[in-house]
């Protein structure tokens, strides 16, 4: 009876895994088909594995330019979020008063606000800053990075806050007695001990920024500034959709982040558990 239960569980797991992976399968097989073959049977394997649609998709997307744009926005956003969030969380943990608790609760509460409720007011504010303060917050990568940092800061502060509480304050007091400045205590004593949670925060931030479509679509209008998710827009016209090239373009879009996630997934689980529980 026990063996039968395990067998049923295994079969159900395989079925759920296949259902979960089915969109990826459909995307991959249809990226090799011509139009007629695709419409004949979207689930069948292609007659031949030709990479011609990948070549056309790369040309249409201007792949290497959008890849560079995505790398620039993603890496700079992750670096700034890690630096600012770690320092903010450290100060909030070590400053025990009502104000620090209120600020921390504001960070936590902002995690519950959907982006869709903020996007239009946000664009109006960014446009006001550009118009009246002459700071280019729209249609620039730097403006997009600024907004990304704001949206990703709350979860990063939350994770760092939980982790820093487990670090003994005696280490920081000993460093202070030895003449280390506040700045030195953080960068020489505290920050090296945050390695696990820093890797986790960086990974989560990189995945979120890389895959983001909505915010870049609102903030960037020039073709030369578009990121990889935005470049897939070229395949979806008002009246026609080139499905085989679109599938090839979507496959190219996810390949870098899938490789990155495969190497980094163990740090995500370890870091989230450490940051959320401690």
């Amino acid at each position: 009876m026990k063996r039968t239960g395990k067998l049923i569980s295994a079969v159900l797991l395989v079925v759920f895994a296949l259902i979960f992976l089915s969109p990826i399968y459909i995307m991959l097989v249809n990226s090799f088909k011509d139009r007629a073959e695709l419409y004949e049977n979207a689930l069948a394997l292609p007659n031949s594995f030709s990479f011609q649609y990948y070549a056309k998709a790369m040309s249409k997307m201007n792949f290497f330019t959008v890849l560079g744009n995505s790398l620039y926005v993603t890496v700079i956003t992750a670096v700034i979020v890690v630096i600012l969030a770690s320092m903010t969380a450290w100060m909030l943990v070590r400053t025990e008063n009502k104000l620090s608790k209120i600020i921390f609760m504001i960070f936590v509460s902002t995690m519950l606000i959907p982006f869709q409720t903020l996007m239009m007011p946000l664009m109006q504010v960014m446009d006001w800053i550009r118009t009246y303060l002459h700071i280019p917050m729209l249609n620039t990568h730097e403006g997009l990075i600024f907004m990304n940092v704001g949206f990703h800061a709350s979860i990063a502060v939350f994770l760092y806050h939980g982790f820093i509480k487990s670090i003994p304050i005696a280490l920081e007091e000993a460093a202070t007695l030895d003449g280390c400045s506040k700045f030195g205590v953080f960068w020489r004593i505290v920050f090296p001990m945050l390695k696990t949670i820093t890797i986790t925060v960086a990974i989560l931030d990189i995945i979120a920024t890389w895959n983001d479509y909505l915010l870049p679509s609102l903030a960037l209008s020039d073709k030369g500034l578009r990121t990889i998710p935005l470049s897939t827009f070229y395949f979806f016209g008002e009246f026609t959709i080139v499905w085989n090239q679109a599938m090839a373009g979507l496959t190219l879009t996810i390949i870098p982040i899938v490789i990155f996630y495969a190497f980094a997934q163990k740090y995500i689980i370890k870091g989230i558990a450490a940051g959320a529980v401690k």
Side-chain angles (χ1 to χ4, degrees), residues 181-202:
S181 66
K182 200 85 172 175
F183 192 79
V185 168
F186 178 77
W187 288 109
R188 294 178 183 175
I189 307 298
V190 177
F191 193 74
M193 299 175 72
L194 303 177
K195 181 182 175 184
T196 304
I197 195 67
T198 295
I199 293 172
T200 303
V201 169

Side-chain angles (χ1 to χ4, degrees), residues 5 39-40 44 70 73 116-117 143 147-148 168 180 185 195 219 233 243 248 253 276:
Y39 282 110
E40 186 179 344
S70 280
V73 172
Q116 288 78 3
T117 63
M147 289 182 269
N148 275 333
C180 197
V185 168
K195 181 182 175 184
F233 174 79
W243 281 110
T253 300

Side-chain angles (χ1 to χ4, degrees), residues 65 69 141 222-226 234:
T65 299
N69 292 341
H141 287 148
D222 286 356
K223 288 185 178 179
L225 297 174
R226 288 178 176 174
Y234 289 113

Side-chain angles (χ1 to χ4, degrees), residues 7 23 96 122 148 172 197-198 200 202 217 233 236 248 259 261:
L7 184 63
E96 294 187 1
L122 175 68
N148 275 333
E172 300 167 34
I197 195 67
T198 295
T200 303
S217 70
F233 174 79
F236 299 93
I259 295 172
Y261 183 80

Side-chain angles (χ1 to χ4, degrees), residues 6-206:
K6 285 184 178 179
L7 184 63
I8 293 172
S9 300
V11 171
L12 286 175
L13 284 174
V14 171
V15 170
F16 286 135
L18 291 175
I19 293 172
F20 184 77
L21 293 173
S22 59
I24 298 175
Y25 168 79
I26 292 170
M27 180 180 70
L28 281 174
V29 297
N30 288 308
S31 66
F32 294 100
K33 297 177 181 176
D34 59 29
R35 196 179 183 87
E37 194 180 353
L38 191 150
Y39 282 110
E40 186 179 344
N41 187 350
L43 297 177
L45 289 171
N47 293 329
S48 64
F49 287 91
S50 169
F51 288 90
Q52 59 173 316
Y53 301 116
Y54 282 87
K56 290 179 181 177
M58 290 178 71
S59 174
K60 206 166 186 177
M61 293 167 68
N62 200 2
F63 183 73
F64 291 106
T65 299
V66 297
L67 178 66
N69 292 341
S70 280
L71 284 174
Y72 174 70
V73 172
T74 303
V75 171
I76 300 298
T77 299
V79 169
I80 295 175
V81 166
V82 163
I83 293 172
L84 295 184
S86 60
M87 296 176 76
T88 302
W90 180 60
M91 288 306 299
L92 291 176
V93 171
R94 296 301 183 232
T95 309
E96 294 187 1
N97 56 39
K98 286 186 178 179
L99 181 61
S100 66
K101 291 178 181 175
I102 291 171
I103 294 173
F104 178 66
M105 290 310 298
I106 291 173
F107 273 111
V108 174
S109 60
T110 57
M111 292 165 55
L112 306 174
I113 302 174
F115 171 73
Q116 288 78 3
T117 63
L118 299 174
M119 60 184 187
M120 295 316 297
L122 175 68
M123 289 302 111
Q124 290 173 347
V125 171
M126 292 298 116
D127 186 53
W128 184 89
I129 293 174
R130 181 179 63 173
T131 304
Y132 294 100
L133 301 182
H134 305 293
I135 301 174
M137 300 305 293
L138 292 176
N139 206 26
T140 61
H141 287 148
E142 290 72 23
L144 177 61
I145 290 169
F146 177 82
M147 289 182 269
N148 275 333
V149 170
F151 282 109
H152 299 172
S154 55
I155 180 70
V157 169
F158 173 74
L159 291 173
Y160 273 120
H161 192 278
F163 195 89
I164 290 172
K165 283 196 290 188
S166 67
I167 298 175
I169 195 171
L171 294 172
E172 300 167 34
E173 292 172 344
T176 304
L177 289 174
D178 287 341
C180 197
S181 66
K182 200 85 172 175
F183 192 79
V185 168
F186 178 77
W187 288 109
R188 294 178 183 175
I189 307 298
V190 177
F191 193 74
M193 299 175 72
L194 303 177
K195 181 182 175 184
T196 304
I197 195 67
T198 295
I199 293 172
T200 303
V201 169
I203 291 169
L204 293 176
D205 197 69
I206 285 170

